C-alpha cells in the first residue's frame, strides 16, 4: 500500500514514538495530523466530546494511530482510583471511543493501530495497571478487527524504547540492564517502532494482531 496522500491521524502529541512515526509517514508522502491535549486540533481521550468533535472536524481519514498512555504505577496498596481510571481512559476506553466515532470516517483499505506494551506479557511489581491496560489493548484490537471488518485493527507492543519517556531516570544504567537481558541485546529506538507501525498500517493482510517490537524482552 502506497502512503502517498494517505490521511493519517496520530494521537499522543507529546510522545517521542509519535514524533518519529509522524516524521517517517510524512517522508513517505502521507498527510499526517498529530493531535494531543494541547495541540490544534486538540483531543483528550478522557473526554468523549473532544473525540466526537475531532472526528467530525477531520472528516474522512485512512488510518488512526493512538500512542496515548497515562500511568498509574506503584504498589497495588497505594493505587488511586482516579489515576487508574485515567490510565484506562488513555489506553482502552479512549481508543474504544475513537473506534466508535472514527470508524464511519475510515476510507476503504484503512486501519486503526493501538499501542500496547511489554508489561502486559512480563508484569513486574508496581506495574499492575500498566500490565492490565496493555493486555486489554491487545484484546481490544482483536475484538474491533472482527466487529469493524474490513477496517483492519492492530496493536503494537513496544519493549523498552529510548523515546524520551525515560529521561527522568538514570536511563543509561536502566538501558544497560535491559539490553544485557533481552534477546536483541539492545534497547529500542523510536525508528524500530515506527517501521513496524508502518507495516501494520500498510500490509492489507494484517489485522487483529499484536506486533511485538520488544527485542524479545517479553521472553527474557
Ligand atoms: N517508551 C517505552 O519504553 C514504551 C514501552 C512500552 C510501551 N510503550 C507505549 O508506547 C506508546 C508511546 O510511548 P512514548 O514513550 O513515546 O510516549 P509517552 O511519553 O508515554 O507519551 C504518551 C502520550 O500520551 C498522551 N496522553 C496521555 N493521556 C492522554 C489523553 N487523555 N488524551 C490524549 N493524549 C494523552 C501524552 O500527552 P501529553 O503530552 O499531553 O502528556 C503523551 O503525549 C505509549 O502507549 C506507551 O505506553 C512505550
Amino acid at each position: 500500500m502506497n502512503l502517498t496522500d494517505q490521511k493519517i491521524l496520530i494521537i499522543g502529541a507529546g510522545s517521542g514514538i509519535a514524533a518519529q512515526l509522524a516524521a517517517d509517514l510524512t517522508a513517505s508522502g502521507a498527510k499526517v495530523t498529530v493531535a494531543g491535549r494541547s495541540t490544534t486540533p486538540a483531543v483528550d481521550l478522557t473526554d468523549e466530546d473532544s473525540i466526537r468533535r475531532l472526528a467530525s472536524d477531520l472528516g474522512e481519514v485512512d488510518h488512526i494511530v493512538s500512542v496515548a498512555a497515562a500511568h498509574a504505577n506503584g504498589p497495588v496498596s497505594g493505587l488511586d482510583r482516579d489515576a487508574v481510571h485515567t490510565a484506562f481512559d488513555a489506553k482502552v476506553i479512549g481508543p474504544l471511543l475513537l473506534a466508535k466515532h472514527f470508524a464511519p470516517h475510515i476510507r476503504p483499505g484503512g486501519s486503526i493501530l493501538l499501542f500496547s506494551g511489554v508489561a502486559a506479557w512480563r508484569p513486574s511489581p508496581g506495574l499492575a495497571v500498566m500490565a492490565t491496560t496493555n493486555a486489554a489493548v491487545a484484546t481490544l484490537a482483536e475484538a474491533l478487527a472482527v466487529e469493524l471488518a474490513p477496517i483492519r485493527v492492530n496493536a503494537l507492543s513496544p519493549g523498552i524504547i529510548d523515546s524520551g519517556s525515560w529521561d527522568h531516570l538514570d536511563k543509561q544504567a536502566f538501558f544497560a540492564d535491559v539490553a544485557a537481558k533481552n534477546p536483541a541485546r539492545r534497547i529500542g529506538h523510536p525508528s524500530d517502532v515506527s517501521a513496524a507501525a508502518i507495516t501494520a498500517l500498510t500490509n492489507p493482510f494484517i489485522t487483529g494482531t499484536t506486533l511485538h517490537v520488544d527485542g524479545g524482552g517479553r521472553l527474557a
Side-chain angles (χ1 to χ4, degrees):
M1 187 185 291
N2 187 338
L3 286 167
T4 306
D5 291 333
Q6 294 264 297
K7 198 166 153 188
I8 302 177
L9 169 66
I10 302 175
I11 292 161
S15 145
I17 288 173
Q20 180 74 52
L21 179 60
D24 291 347
L25 289 169
T26 302
S28 299
K31 307 279 182 226
V32 181
T33 300
V34 184
R37 290 176 289 187
S38 51
T39 58
T40 305
V43 68
D44 182 342
L45 294 186
T46 67
D47 173 5
E48 184 172 7
D49 282 343
S50 79
I51 296 171
R52 185 185 291 110
R53 205 163 37 245
L54 184 64
S56 144
D57 289 351
L58 281 188
E60 287 195 328
V61 293
D62 293 289
H63 303 281
I64 298 171
V65 182
S66 182
V67 305
H71 303 297
N73 297 337
V76 169
S77 58
L79 288 178
D80 173 74
R81 190 204 178 279
D82 289 345
V84 172
H85 201 147
T86 301
F88 274 86
D89 273 333
K91 279 256 166 159
V92 185
I93 301 170
L96 198 47
L97 296 173
L98 286 172
K100 171 181 170 183
H101 293 288
F102 277 91
H105 301 281
I106 294 181
R107 292 173 177 144
S111 75
I112 298 172
L113 179 62
L114 306 178
F115 267 69
S116 176
V118 67
W121 287 270
R122 194 161 180 80
S124 50
L127 297 183
V129 176
M130 186 181 283
T132 308
T133 55
N134 284 330
V137 172
T139 300
L140 180 59
E142 293 180 358
L144 292 175
V146 171
E147 182 165 336
L148 302 181
I151 296 171
R152 294 179 300 107
V153 186
N154 292 296
L156 191 156
S157 176
I160 301 305
I161 311 292
D162 189 7
S163 64
S165 62
W166 300 105
D167 290 1
H168 61 287
L169 299 178
D170 173 6
K171 69 175 185 176
Q172 296 315 332
F174 172 60
F175 286 172
D177 185 53
V178 170
K181 289 181 187 144
N182 78 23
R185 297 288 187 267
R186 69 171 176 86
I187 58 132
H189 186 271
S191 61
D192 298 318
V193 179
S194 174
I198 290 172
T199 296
L201 297 182
T202 56
N203 187 314
F205 209 49
I206 297 181
T207 191
T209 292
T210 296
L211 290 179
H212 296 279
V213 188
D214 62 5
R218 73 193 177 287
L219 309 171

